[in-house]
Amino acid sequence: AQSVTQLDSQVPVFEEAPVELRCNYSSSVSVYLFWYVQYPNQGLQLLLKYLSGSTLVESINGFEAEFNKSQTSFHLRKPSVHISDTAEYFCAVSPLAGGSYIPTFGRGTSLIVHP
Amino acid sequence: DTGVSQDPRHKITKRGQNVTFRCDPISEHNRLYWYRQTLGQGPEFLTYFQNEAQLEKSRLLSDRFSAERPKGSFSTLEIQRTEQGDSAMYLCASGPGSNYGYTFGSGTRLTVV
């Protein structure tokens, strides 16, 4: 079984400031890792994913996340946030094998960007 | 590829009524998932289909809930005798055969009054 802990329920930040959203996971098997973003009254959109290879993964809109196996973490970072980044962010893991690949989500972190 | 479609977007129902939601996944995706999301929480897994076979069900899926995917394409989630605790966003996601991520629909928001 897997579990995901998102340590901060809310992260307020000023526009153009850097931000880090923390994610730690627990699993008895190897996992894939994901970050999803959810805007109000919408479904989840995949932001980035770590499957294998380089431990630093990037999204097209400036976010990046680094897989740290020893610390079982997959923190999300952005060097300079924009008002439009205000949203709910979910970290998720799914088992590497088994066929169902059912993702387990954290409780989410609400990123609030102030002007 | 029009993404994952869910219908309806919103549903208000009286306690005790039955409701049915529909999910149309991306056509070439053989994996389909239903999740429930309540306010301030992350999505919680309900059930999983591979093609038409329902392979896993969460303990959250009480006997009032039933899901089908009759031809391995669209799926329906039915809730019988709705309760106020069923009020939530119901999300559907689909994925290809390999584990390269999932595409979510916009969800159906259910309000039980």
Side-chain angles (χ1 to χ4, degrees):
Chain A
Q2 298 85 43
S3 67
V4 177
T5 302
Q6 291 185 244
L7 297 165
D8 306 295
S9 60
Q10 266 193 11
V11 174
V13 65
F14 287 107
E15 194 173 17
E16 297 184 4
V19 71
E20 178 180 81
L21 307 183
R22 296 180 291 171
C23 171
N24 286 87
Y25 70 93
S26 171
S27 177
S28 55
V29 299
S30 296
V31 294
Y32 291 138
L33 298 127
F34 307 87
W35 274 98
Y36 283 85
V37 59
Q38 185 178 36
Y39 299 100
N41 295 314
Q42 293 189 25
L44 280 71
Q45 300 174 28
L46 180 65
L47 192 59
L48 47 74
K49 60 192 177 195
Y50 172 76
L51 304 180
S52 63
S54 172
T55 57
L56 184 66
V57 291
E58 298 177 352
S59 71
I60 57 172
N61 56 356
F63 282 95
E64 64 179 31
E66 186 161 18
F67 171 53
N68 187 318
K69 189 174 182 179
S70 62
Q71 297 185 1
T72 60
S73 68
F74 190 54
H75 301 333
L76 182 70
R77 302 185 184 95
K78 189 170 186 180
S80 176
V81 295
H82 191 266
I83 293 283
S84 60
D85 293 323
T86 295
E88 195 80 17
Y89 291 80
F90 294 95
C91 181
V93 300
S94 73
L96 215 64
S100 64
Y101 310 125
I102 296 171
T104 300
F105 288 85
R107 295 180 62 173
T109 297
S110 179
L111 175 63
I112 303 167
V113 181
H114 298 287
Chain B
D1 179 2
T2 57
V4 177
S5 299
Q6 291 189 247
D7 183 70
R9 289 294 307 275
H10 304 274
K11 178 72 176 178
I12 300 175
T13 191
K14 292 184 178 179
R15 190 175 53 184
Q17 297 294 305
N18 300 342
V19 294
T20 300
F21 310 140
R22 177 180 170 122
C23 170
D24 287 89
I26 292 173
S27 58
E28 60 266 29
H29 286 180
N30 60 2
R31 292 183 288 119
L32 186 145
Y33 308 81
W34 283 99
Y35 279 80
R36 182 177 70 185
Q37 185 181 21
T38 52
L39 202 61
Q41 301 293 321
E44 297 172 295
F45 170 71
L46 292 178
T47 190
Y48 158 69
F49 288 86
Q50 183 160 331
N51 299 311
E52 66 276 8
Q54 187 175 19
L55 297 184
E56 290 202 37
K57 292 195 291 186
S58 160
R59 281 175 288 180
L60 291 176
L61 211 68
S62 75
D63 57 4
R64 296 185 298 106
F65 287 70
S66 62
E68 294 182 342
R69 194 182 182 195
K71 296 182 180 179
S73 56
F74 73 93
S75 176
T76 58
L77 177 68
E78 181 183 15
I79 309 175
Q80 296 182 328
R81 305 181 304 281
T82 52
E83 301 172 355
Q84 285 191 322
D86 296 331
S87 294
M89 174 80 88
Y90 289 84
L91 295 165
C92 175
S94 70
S98 50
N99 190 10
Y100 292 147
Y102 316 83
T103 302
F104 279 82
S106 296
T108 293
R109 181 167 294 285
L110 173 66
T111 303
V112 181
V113 297

